[in-house]
Amino acid sequence: MQTIHLTIVLAPLLAAIVAGLFGKQIGRAGAHWLTILAVGLSFVLSMVVLKDIYWDGGAVENYSVYTWAVSDGLRMEVGFLIDRLTALMMVVVTFVSFMVHIYTIGYMHDDPGYQRFFSYISLFTFSMLMLVMSNNFLQLFFGWEAVGLVSYLLIGFWFKRESAIFANLKAFLVNRVGDFGFILGIAAIVMFTNSLDYMTVFGAAGDIARQDIAVFGGSPWNAMSVICILLFIGAMGKSAQAPLHVWLPDSMEGPTPISALIHAATMVTAGIFMVARMSPLFELSETALAVVLVIGSITAFFMGLLGIVQNDIKRVVAYSTLSQLGYMTVALGASAYGAAIFHLMTHAFFKALLFLAAGSVIIAMHHEQDIRKMGGIRKYMPITYWTSLVGSLALIGFPGFAGFFSKDALIEAVRHSHWEGQGAVYWIAYLSVLLGVFVTALYSFRMFFLVFHGKERMDEHTRSHIHETPAVVTVPLVLLAIPSAVIGWFTIGPVLFGDFFGPSIFVLPGHDVLAELGAEFHGSAQFLAHSFTAGPAFYLAAAGVLVAWFLYLKRPDLPEAIANRMSGLYTLLDRKYYFDELWINGFAAGGRRLGRFLWTRGDELIIDGVLVNGTANSVGRLAGTLRHLQTGYLYHYAFAMIIALTLFLGWLLWLQ
């Protein structure tokens, strides 16, 4: 199996290198066929790995591939940990990437950077695979930074657009903030364990939890809480949790295929996966879990509200991603790690579907992205319409669709979570994810109705040219719609309530809310039927759809009137809670002001003015003084010698 593991991770890398360096030689067809076959091979082999480790009962594999360096007992290695959590992530990453690769042929057909784009998305797949397959923190950090680098390249792929360059720089810098916390967390782990290996660190988790660390020289902090919070700060950047979320909506400046890949299966899922993988550490810190829960709750509800006022079709889906990532984070904070990963899996399918469907609409609309200039295109694009409907129903958690099983289970896990000592925190989290159901349904079907139903609002030229996109675009939509509709039926039992994750995820008995829910689970059909009486989630989703229908189809005059009447709230949402201003005028401008101060006061005044030029000027002034002693007259030198000799003799006599 080790050869298969290496093939899975290296095939996309080799394809990326060839497509990137030899794109002109192999041509456009060569670039897409090479990368598609490589990622397709990785997907097939990932399925083989999942079959071996789950259905065939294969053993968990944890081994080193290459030892890079050994320093004072600290081993820096490339190694793989292949368990059920890894295998599931490998299948999700490679399948979504495979669909995106095929879709890209149609979407990027006329782009001059065709080969370069295929090279980047294949490299993105390699980077994410290295991250999820790692068995040590060094390789985890490599994959972590690699997905960040490639996302920078892809968000700014159309580098002639100023907005794209601003967006990729924004993503890069905001993620550096999170990554600073992440690397500090890894450094703290090394300080306490002198190891980068997962299993060694997990084995020492109990000892770490019993130790304290002085952070700011004041009262000691629990070492495990500090480590976990620092690691989670990294996850906040990668998985776009407030306030480090501001880069994700702007990532829409990249081509639609990469929006799907970033939001569904690669970069933004890295933080969720990392926290689940680190469950043996997080379980030993109630403080860290509470921080995770609060941040996830804020993101799930408040970022969802922003989707209601967005008019760019891709940005609506982007804010949906922010909200759903908040849901996953809430599940992590409630120790329902399996629920978070289960929702990550279902979300990958329907979110990729929604992004690619949005791209299909954009192609048909000649790259128009404003949903206010669409409407009534259902009859022109039937495949895109029905697949978009499937994706939207899955997103809002409509009973029977994939998102229903994962989101409903997640909400129930939060509701039944451990309340002792922190009841208010968990109730706030529960209310956030519950109200988020209504918000999700409202903005999702607002977009759906404005795009596909109602009055046609596009110009005549655009209307006359609208037609269904080619098969290379619609086939991936259909293939993604199938799991978005049905995968929850077959996977909720084994993945969520079975022993699928086994030793991959560690949960303390007092925190194991999924075990409590699993005791009441009696099949997918019973779970669906139970949802109508278990809580208000279904009715909130239905209310959201009904309100969207009433406001945007029945009474389309009302939204503007409501916005005018509630102008303060609308402005707050339209300005995205002023987070952009905070980051641009606060963090970024503050950094520039600090740099300017260090330049003018530190570099110019002290270093150049005092140390460098000051020394040179002092030598010059000294030389200017001493040169007056060099007159060139012999009697001056003789007189100086006599005076010096007299002084010397006088000094000797004084010593005696």
Side-chain angles (χ1 to χ4, degrees), residues 43 46-47 50 86-96 349:
F43 167 61
S46 295
M47 290 294 294
L50 181 62
T86 303
L88 180 65
M89 290 297 298
M90 289 163 63
V91 170
V92 171
V93 170
T94 53
F95 176 71
V96 173
F349 296 124

Side-chain angles (χ1 to χ4, degrees), residues 303-320:
M303 295 304 111
L305 288 175
L306 298 182
I308 299 173
V309 300
Q310 298 300 310
N311 296 312
D312 184 304
I313 187 171
K314 287 171 63 177
R315 285 182 179 268
V316 176
V317 186
Y319 280 105
S320 159

Side-chain angles (χ1 to χ4, degrees), residues 171-188:
F172 193 78
L173 292 178
V174 171
N175 272 277
R176 296 291 69 72
V177 176
D179 292 354
F180 181 66
F182 188 60
I183 198 169
L184 285 178
I186 294 175

Side-chain angles (χ1 to χ4, degrees), residues 50-77:
L50 181 62
K51 175 181 178 296
D52 173 74
I53 203 166
Y54 179 61
W55 282 282
D56 297 343
V60 172
E61 297 193 52
N62 181 15
Y63 60 93
S64 173
V65 176
Y66 171 72
T67 300
W68 175 42
V70 179
S71 175
D72 194 24
L74 181 66
R75 300 183 66 86
M76 303 178 187
E77 299 177 322

Side-chain angles (χ1 to χ4, degrees), residues 112 128 289 403 467 485 510 603 651:
M128 190 64 186
L289 288 175
H467 59 83
D603 190 34
W651 179 68

Side-chain angles (χ1 to χ4, degrees), residues 301 308 327 392-393 395-399 404 407-408 411-412 415 429-445 531-549:
F301 180 67
I308 299 173
Y327 274 83
S392 298
L393 291 173
L395 173 61
I396 71 171
F398 189 82
F404 158 76
K407 184 183 284 188
D408 211 63
I411 293 171
E412 285 299 295
R415 183 163 73 95
Y430 176 62
L431 290 175
S432 295
V433 295
L434 202 58
L435 293 174
V437 172
F438 172 80
V439 174
T440 301
L442 177 57
Y443 67 67
S444 297
F445 274 85
S531 69
F532 295 105
T533 57
F538 164 73
Y539 302 100
L540 286 169
V545 175
L546 184 62
V547 170
W549 170 82

Side-chain angles (χ1 to χ4, degrees), residues 515-537:
E516 179 184 341
L517 293 178
E520 303 173 1
F521 178 76
H522 302 291
S524 302
Q526 182 271 341
F527 185 85
L528 187 149
H530 181 66
S531 69
F532 295 105
T533 57

